[in-house]
């Protein structure tokens, strides 16, 4: 039986208490856990070795979905993926989110995992998400340089190269959240609470292109909620490339949102990828060619091709990166075709 | 008894009471209630937990092994290394090349080098981490080509192997005159295929609990194993104990598929640690360790050349197999020959040459997985023959029909075919699937593919040479009206417990629930060689029927005497013993037993089964023979997305000649499970390694096995050819239906979108590559100098084909 | 060894239990090792097979990814608690009769997920049954009879 290492366990009752417990610790020294579906497997494999686990499950009020009318829909950070996937309002107004969140892992994991956990999940790599002895036999890598977890500050990538594409001075672990592209495609805002108070930013601004820490936030900052804009006729879908119907993370996932006027003109469009780089890839340049146009099949194909060019899959998942990049174009094209009335 | 038992039962299935019915398995109730005791459920007082420290290098000399920090740790009871378990063992006498812990070098990443027993698993794990091992790397070998080449530093087994360097096994046989026949052929074609390795992935991780009794000087082992008898022998050997002071109990196994048919280091180490600590010791492998235990399907590179006449009749087949065997022998000698044995059992091949080699590589050892060395050549042969047919402008089905073997004939390699349902299975499956409405006629993206297969119903030879029966059953008849059957057979999910209960029940006229079972315990049950090669229903079944018939005889006689019934009319059916012509004249079974027991004393009997002698007498002739072959024919229908390459298998039809379905529901269950496993192999399972011998991803996430979402509808057609060699005519069902699935699906992809593939698994990327005109798969085999083939004359009936 | 321990008070199959266990034990380990409820099986311990599924407060969850302490105050149901007093649950009967259990190792997890399905959706369509067990790996049956057993039991579980 693969077992957890020892740790201190805290179960704060408020966000401020949780933030206080996390503050001042280095990356990975104290970790927040909600559903445990990302953190516990990695602790069992000694990828994370936090001294303290700060459970967020004891904080009340984090798991509500609130319709605030013109101010949009608020989704609490602790809402389970299962709840979001089955929520009628989400399915009706933000279908990409229902589809994306409903595609995560397995039914049981969706009942345990939370949306904040999904958005903040540790980027994945097939040289890193492996048992301890496997990583030892491969002489470690910069993201997990020893038995101790995250690299200490004095270890650089030059010392312990990335096993996927060494020499770039960075980690190439793959961003694997299904929820993120769908929420971003719907222009979600995320609220974080930390030692310095509260801030609300567009969700896409939470992410940076780094496989070790893709989140632009202080370690003790916690997501408290997401806000989606009120329904405005935007239609959306999420398409996921993976070998099987369950378990598998996105080899490539794309969320597409569009709004079309009655005369067929595209008023608004977003294409957002996951699984093809260390953070979500927002293809805003590609959609510039779509907005203001009445789309044709040819235009859609071209837009999708441009969008896929912005993806950066690396050789650290099951499918070959060339194939994933190719599918990034095909899946975006198909999604756009399904959503749009074409001329 | 050396031949199968002759039964005096009527022919019509309606005349049986429990045979032929889809009754509920007797072990189902425990399984749906959580009562089954798997090996990891065993919990003994003072039990310690063991862990293995494993090699992190693929090929290396051990230059330092320091266990002192582990020994000194609080809560650690004992630490052992190779010095403590130096005895060489292995499942096959011809390939004993393993030790429980590495001796001076390690040969694969994950090979055990030390073992710890401690108060709990976490402590054992910490102790393993504290063990210091240093290695001096040797050049690792990870491909077949490297295995055939001269070793750079040293061979993986410098003292073993039939060939030079890392060549572990060689087989070179010729039946008839291949070159002569090939020269007369109207058409010749050659192809190269690669069948990727894969693993069993049983849901239950391997587990064993050992308990040493210092007073009796006896070791007991509870284990998740398919072969308690073989483990018994190897455990006694490795621990240098007299076999009669070793007891092995196989718990109900949570999936085996051939992965639990070797004696394993964790079993031997648990035993040794228990002997040293005086405590029971449990070792349960983590999922990554199950990948290192492996013993899975050999990757095989194959070259196939066929010569046919202008009517499509096969004149000659020339075959080369190159197997990647991993680091140790396991069942390798048998596997090597299996890749060349059964081609002739479905098609009449009058001249046949087989050359095979198995090389060692620095990867976990390969062994037997469902089909054991025959799915790979079956895949190649079926795809190859369809190509041959197309080149001749012939229907691939018609080409096959022209060449199908018949019943009761010898093959060129001296295999004895008895009943043979290949033609009937073909007819039935083509009809059920509307084959001729679909092949070449479905809309773009949809297609159907066809393949046949055949498998043995138990290997004709035991794993270690001996003249004793392969299966033995003891029966006790109880005055309460119940019967107990004792047999060493191991229930691994395939339904062997239900087979034993059903066959005994049929003879006694009872319900299977009335047959108590004592199984899989080397102290209390007679030997059954184990659950492998699909042997149990036939071999155990014949022994069980023999024992039951002998045991019921005094009961019949006692009632006949008591009730004045002529012996030829007294029967035991429906829980009574009575006059067949005057059913009211009889007694309940329990009463019958009392009458008999009062007359004769204890009522009981034994039965045994030994397969018939094989007909061939040449090196390697022991691999391939069996009492009877099963036959399968399969149609697979797929939907291929030509833009993404994704293959969706929509439906599979399988006609399977099982001889007689003792329990049709269980037969269908084996068909469905075989289809599932074949689909996994052809669509997603791959045993992949880095150049440095590291497994790509030893987890259930990285190693993909299908969910219900990938599983198609399966239509099973049970064909019964009623074979004299099997109990009530039964042949096997647990492995044969897997064989035609990979080629049928691959052929269907060709029909759907014109993408040809010459290797497994089919991935979406490969489909796109094939559509773009690239050759997907190998195009050549190594230019290896096989030894000159042993020449063998073919049987007379071959001349007449 | 100085493990930090914690006491977990919860209900298991309708009975109040109080166990003192190391803090880092998962619910899976607590059930199997401290409560001797070995019916819940384990194939990977990291969420990649769902063999260890149990029901927590009415929802099937992976016991391998839940701490024992996280079950404090919860109602946990395992396969051992499925049967009615003196009789089997209709799902258990259906699984047995349909041959949905071969080696039986995935069966407890399948049963708990199926129980939840029928408790919340008494007459599920075939694709809903598939969706319910898509996260449970079986290596023996090919799922065919598991689906038919659940479908059959649907008519026998009181809505």
């Amino acid at each position: 039986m693969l077992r957890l290492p020892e740790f201190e366990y805290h179960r704060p009752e408020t966000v401020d208490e949780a933030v206080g417990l996390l503050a001042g610790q280095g990356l990975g020294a104290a970790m927040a856990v909600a559903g445990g579906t990302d953190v516990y497997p990695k602790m069992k494999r000694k990828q994370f070795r936090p001294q303290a686990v700060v459970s967020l499950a004891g904080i009340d009020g984090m798991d509500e979905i609130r319709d605030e009318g013109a101010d949009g829909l608020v989704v609490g950070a602790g809402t389970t993926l299962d709840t979001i996937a089955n929520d009628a309002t989400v399915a009706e107004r933000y279908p990409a989110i229902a589809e994306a969140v409903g595609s995560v892992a397995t039914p049981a994991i969706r009942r345990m995992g939370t949306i904040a956990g999904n958005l903040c999940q540790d980027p994945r790599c097939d040289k890193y998400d492996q048992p301890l002895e496997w990583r030892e036999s491969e002489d470690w890598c910069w993201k997990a340089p020893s038995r101790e977890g995250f690299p200490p500050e004095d270890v650089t990538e030059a010392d312990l190269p990335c096993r996927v594409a060494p020499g770039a001075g960075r980690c190439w672990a793959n961003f694997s959240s299904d929820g993120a592209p769908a929420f971003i495609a719907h222009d979600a805002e995320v609220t974080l609470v930390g030692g310095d108070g509260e801030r609300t930013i567009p969700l896409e601004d939470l992410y940076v292109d780094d496989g070790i820490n893709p989140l632009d936030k202080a370690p003790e900052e916690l997501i408290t909620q997401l806000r989606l804009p009120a329904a405005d006729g935007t239609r959306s879908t999420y398409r996921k490339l993976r070998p099987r119907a369950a378990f598998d993370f996105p080899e490539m996932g794309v969320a597409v949102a569009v709004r079309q006027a009655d005369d067929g003109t595209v008023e608004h469009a977003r294409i957002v990828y996951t699984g093809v780089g260390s953070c979500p890839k927002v293809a805003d340049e590609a959609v510039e060619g779509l907005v203001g146009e009445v789309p044709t099949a040819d235009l859609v194909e071209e837009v999708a091709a441009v969008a896929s060019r912005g993806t950066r899959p690396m050789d650290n998942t099951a499918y070959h990166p060339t194939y994933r990049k190719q599918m990034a174009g095909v899946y975006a094209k198909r999604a756009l075709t399904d959503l749009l009335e074409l001329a | 008894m050396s031949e199968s038992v002759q039964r005096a039962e009527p022919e019509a299935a309606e005349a049986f009471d429990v045979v032929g019915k889809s009754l509920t398995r007797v072990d189902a109730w425990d399984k749906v209630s959580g009562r089954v005791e798997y090996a990891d459920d065993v919990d003994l007082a003072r039990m310690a937990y063991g862990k293995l420290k494993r090699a992190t290098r693929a090929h290396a000399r051990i230059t330092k092994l320091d266990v002192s920090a582990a020994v000194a740790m609080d809560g650690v009871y004992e630490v052992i290394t190779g010095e403590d378990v130096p005895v060489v063992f292995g499942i096959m006498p011809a390939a004993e090349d393993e030790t429980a812990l590495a001796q001076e070098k390690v040969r694969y990443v994950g090979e055990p080098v030390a073992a710890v027993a401690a108060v709990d698993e976490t402590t054992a794990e910490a102790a393993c981490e504290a063990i210091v091992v240093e290695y001096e790397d040797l050049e690792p070998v990870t491909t077949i080509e490297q295995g055939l080449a001269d070793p750079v530093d040293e061979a993986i087994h410098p003292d073993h192997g039939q060939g030079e360097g890392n060549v572990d096994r060689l087989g070179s046989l010729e039946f008839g005159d291949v070159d002569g026949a090939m020269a007369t052929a109207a058409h010749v074609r050659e192809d190269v295929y690669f069948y990727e390795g894969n693993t069993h992935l049983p849901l239950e991780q391997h587990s064993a609990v050992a308990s040493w009794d210092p007073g009796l000087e006896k070791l007991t082992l509870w284990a998740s194993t398919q072969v308690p008898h073989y483990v018994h022998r190897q455990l006694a050997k490795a621990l240098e104990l007299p076999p009669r002071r070793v007891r092995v109990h196989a718990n109900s196994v949570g999936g085996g598929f051939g992965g639990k048919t070797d004696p394993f280091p964790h079993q031997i180490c648990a035993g040794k640690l228990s002997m040293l600590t005086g405590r029971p010791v449990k070792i349960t492998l983590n999922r990554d360790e199950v990948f290192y235990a492996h013993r899975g399907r050999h990757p095989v590179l194959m070259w196939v050349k066929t010569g046919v006449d202008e009517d499509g009749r096969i004149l000659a087949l020339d075959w080369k197999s190159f197997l990647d065997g991993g680091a140790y022998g396991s069942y390798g000698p048998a596997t090597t020959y299996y890749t060349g044995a059964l081609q002739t059992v479905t098609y009449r091949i009058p001249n046949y040459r087989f050359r095979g080699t198995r090389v060692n590589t620095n990867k976990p050892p390969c062994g037997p997985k469902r089909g054991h060395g025959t799915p790979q050549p079956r895949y190649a042969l079926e795809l190859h023959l369809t190509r041959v047919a197309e080149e001749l402008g012939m229907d691939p089905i018609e080409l096959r029909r022209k060449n199908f073997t018949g019943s009761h004939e010898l093959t060129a390699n001296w295999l004895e075919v008895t009943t043979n349902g290949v033609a009937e299975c073909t007819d039935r499956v083509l009809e059920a699937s509307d084959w001729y409405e679909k092949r070449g006629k479905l809309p773009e993206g949809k297609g159907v593919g066809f393949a046949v297969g055949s498998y043995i119903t138990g290997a004709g030879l035991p794993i270690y040479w001996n003249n004793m029966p392969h299966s033995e059953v003891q029966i006790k008849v109880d005055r309460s009206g119940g019967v107990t059957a004792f047999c060493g057979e191991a229930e691994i999910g395939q339904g062997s417990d239900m087979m034993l209960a059903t066959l005994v029940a049929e003879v006694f006229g009872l319900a299977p629930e009335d047959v108590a079972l004592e199984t899989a315990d080397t102290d209390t049950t007679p030997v059954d060689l184990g659950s492998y090669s699909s042997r149990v229903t036939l071999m155990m079944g014949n022994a069980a029927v023999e024992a039951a018939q002998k045991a019921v005889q005094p009961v019949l006689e006692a009632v006949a005497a008591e009730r004045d019934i002529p012996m030829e009319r007294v029967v035991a059916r429906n829980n009574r013993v009575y006059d067949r012509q005057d059913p009211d004249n009889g007694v309940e079974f329990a009463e019958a037993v009392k009458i008999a027991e009062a007359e004769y004393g204890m009522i009981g009997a034994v039965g045994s089964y030994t397969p018939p002698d094989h007909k061939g007498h040449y090196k390697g002739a022991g691999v391939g023979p069996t009492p009877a072959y099963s036959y399968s024919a399969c149609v697979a229908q797929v939907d291929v997305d030509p833009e993404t390459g994704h293959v969706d298998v929509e439906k599979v039809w399988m006609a399977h000649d099982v001889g007689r379905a003792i329990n049709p529901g269980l037969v269908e269950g084996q068909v469905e499970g075989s289809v599932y496993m074949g689909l996994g192999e052809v669509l997603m399972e791959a045993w992949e390694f880095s150049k440095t011998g590291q497994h790509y991803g030893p987890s259930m996430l990285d190693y993909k096995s299908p969910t219900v979402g990938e599983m198609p509808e399966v239509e099973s057609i049970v064909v019964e050819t009623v074979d004299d060699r099997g109990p009530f005519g039964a042949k096997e069902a647990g492995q044969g239906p897997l064989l035609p699935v990979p080629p049928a699906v691959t052929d269907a992809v060709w029909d759907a979108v014109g993408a040809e593939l010459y290797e497994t698994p089919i991935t979406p990327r490969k489909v796109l590559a094939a559509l773009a005109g690239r050759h997907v798969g190998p195009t050549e085999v190594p230019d290896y100098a096989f030894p000159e083939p042993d020449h063998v004359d073919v049987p007379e009936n071959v001349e007449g084909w | 060894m100085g493990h930090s321990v914690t006491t977990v008070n919860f209900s298991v199959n309708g009975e109040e239990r109080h166990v003192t266990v190391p803090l880092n034990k998962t619910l899976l380990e607590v059930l199997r090792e401290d409560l001797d409820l070995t019916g819940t099986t384990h194939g990977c311990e990291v969420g990649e097979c769902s063999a260890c599924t149990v029901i927590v407060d009415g929802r099937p969850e992976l016991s391998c990814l839940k701490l024992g302490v996280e079950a404090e105050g919860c109602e946990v149901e395992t396969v051992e608690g499925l049967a009615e007093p003196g009789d089997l649950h209709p799902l258990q009967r259906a699984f047995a009769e349909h041959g949905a259990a071969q080696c039986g190792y995935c069966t407890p997890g399948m049963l708990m997920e199926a129980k939840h399905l029928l408790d919340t959706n008494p007459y599920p369509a075939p694709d809903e049954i598939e969706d319910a067990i898509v996260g449970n790996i079986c290596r023996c049956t090919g799922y065919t009879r598991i689906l038919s057993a659940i479908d059959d039991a649907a008519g026998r579980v009181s809505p």
Side-chain angles (χ1 to χ4, degrees), chain A:
Chain A
M1 174 99 74
L2 191 59
R3 297 177 193 258
L4 289 163
E6 295 198 341
F7 51 88
E8 290 165 32
Y9 180 77
H10 304 277
R11 199 176 170 92
E13 293 180 350
T14 67
V15 172
D16 288 337
E17 207 188 319
V19 169
L21 286 162
L22 293 165
Q25 317 262 4
L27 184 67
M31 296 188 76
V33 175
T37 58
D38 190 38
V39 175
Y40 293 146
K42 297 194 182 212
M43 284 174 67
K44 290 186 182 189
R45 293 189 167 129
K46 318 297 193 303
Q47 294 163 267
F48 298 157
R49 287 216 183 184
Q51 273 171 285
V53 159
V54 179
S55 171
L56 306 177
I59 303 173
D60 279 335
M62 297 281 278
D63 58 356
E64 295 171 355
I65 300 180
R66 243 176 20 249
D67 191 342
E68 295 191 345
D71 288 334
L73 193 75
V74 171
V75 179
T79 313
T80 66
L81 303 176
D82 179 63
T83 300
I84 296 170
N86 290 314
D87 185 271
T89 309
V90 172
E92 191 198 316
R93 292 189 205 162
Y94 320 97
I97 292 176
E99 288 166 18
V101 165
S103 78
V104 172
T106 60
I109 285 177
R110 293 197 289 274
R111 293 185 197 102
M112 301 166 80
T114 65
I115 186 59
N118 183 266
L119 296 174
C120 296
Q121 70 178 255
D122 185 39
R124 304 186 59 82
C125 172
D126 61 10
K127 315 288 181 288
Y128 161 78
D129 285 293
Q130 298 296 350
L132 180 71
E133 294 78 16
W134 191 103
R135 288 182 284 117
E136 180 182 6
S137 79
E138 288 291 286
D139 293 327
W140 313 106
C141 75
W142 188 36
K143 181 164 179 170
S146 68
R147 298 165 173 281
E148 304 313 316
F150 285 126
E153 280 165 17
D154 57 350
V155 170
T156 68
E157 195 265 337
D159 301 319
L160 256 178
C162 167
R163 296 292 160 197
V164 178
R170 58 159 296 163
C171 168
W172 291 102
N174 199 39
F175 187 76
S176 303
S177 161
D178 296 294
F183 272 88
I184 293 171
H186 274 288
D187 301 309
E189 290 181 329
V190 61
T191 301
L192 302 116
V193 171
D196 294 335
E198 188 181 283
R199 60 189 180 105
T200 298
I201 55 173
L203 178 60
E204 65 219 77
D205 292 347
L206 179 61
Y207 296 108
V208 292
D209 188 9
D210 179 32
I212 293 180
N213 185 11
L215 303 173
D216 189 12
K217 69 172 186 71
E220 69 271 12
E221 278 189 291
L222 292 172
I223 294 177
T224 54
Q225 67 178 39
L226 295 144
R227 181 181 295 276
L228 291 158
D232 61 358
T234 299
R235 303 175 62 225
S236 70
T237 188
Y238 178 72
R239 304 293 164 87
K240 182 170 180 173
L241 173 71
R242 57 175 172 177
R244 301 178 292 172
F247 295 102
D248 300 334
F249 289 85
E251 295 284 329
M252 181 286 303
V254 63
V256 177
V258 295
R259 195 174 66 245
Q260 227 176 346
D262 290 335
D263 68 356
T265 313
V266 174
E267 295 176 338
H268 171 74
R270 295 208 87 178
I271 298 174
V272 186
Y273 289 105
T274 183
V276 286
S278 299
C279 64
K281 298 296 176 192
V282 183
D284 278 342
E285 273 175 44
V287 297
E288 275 172 18
L290 193 56
V291 173
E293 303 294 322
V294 176
T296 61
D298 284 343
L299 179 61
V300 159
E301 180 143 12
E302 194 192 308
V303 166
V306 172
S308 74
R309 272 177 234 141
T311 62
R312 293 273 176 278
M314 302 297 287
D315 190 12
N316 54 5
T317 69
Y319 282 165
H320 196 278
T322 312
Y323 177 73
R324 286 153 62 208
K325 198 174 175 72
Q326 195 181 343
M327 291 304 109
V330 172
Y331 276 49
K333 178 193 73 174
R334 290 184 176 186
L336 287 166
T337 305
D338 288 345
L339 291 173
L340 293 169
E341 295 280 342
L342 298 182

Side-chain angles (χ1 to χ4, degrees), chain B residues 125-158:
Chain B
E125 198 182 308
C128 283
E129 279 191 48
I131 292 172
V132 177
V133 193
E134 285 174 12
Y135 299 99
E136 179 195 312
D137 279 330
L138 299 164
E139 186 73 14
V141 167
T142 58
T143 68
I144 290 168
E145 289 75 10
Q146 287 170 352
L148 291 171
D150 288 334
V152 171
D153 289 326
E154 68 181 51
I156 296 169
H157 290 278

